[in-house]
Amino acid sequence: MNKNNKIPFKTPEGYFNSFEDKLMDKLSKPESTTSKDSAFKVPDNYFESFHDTLKGKLENEPKVIPLFPIKKIIAVAASIAAIVLIVLNYNWNTSSELTFSDLANADIEAYFENNDFELSPYEIAEVLPVTNTEYSDFLSSPIESDNLLDYLNENVSDFDELNIDYNE
């Protein structure tokens, strides 16, 4: 196509204005522009030279463009293989349930510090089972006597509560 987008076909001025009249004139005349004798004639030696002419045209093999180029087929196969690999390697079981052992101690302490449950230590102690527990289970490091005395001075108002009778 022309780069300047000009229309290469032109008609003479007034062609379509007078076209119908010219057509009707030609159709109303009984004369034909071609003679009846030469209408269905084949040129001389047409069939004798047809085979040679056709063979000469077929010697130049045309360029064959395949409908499904191999490069496109390879690209489609590679993309399908990549999608299959992604789907097969994707971990679909991402919703595994968390257990208590998965939580870090710092996370548990932060949760209790940030959420106010309005429970006293005595109420919490009533809920915890005492069976099969030892004193060392509660502490990761031993309590120093100075720290224990400071705690008792600050938090215990009645020292008689601390007197525990042991039945040995």
Side-chain angles (χ1 to χ4, degrees), residues 112 117-130:
F112 282 115
F117 295 107
E118 298 179 3
L119 296 174
S120 68
Y122 295 109
E123 292 172 338
I124 294 173
E126 288 176 2
V127 175
L128 293 175
V130 185

Side-chain angles (χ1 to χ4, degrees), residues 42-56:
V42 178
D44 293 335
N45 297 327
Y46 177 77
F47 290 108
E48 287 82 19
S49 63
F50 175 75
H51 184 66
D52 297 331
T53 308
L54 181 64
K55 196 174 193 180

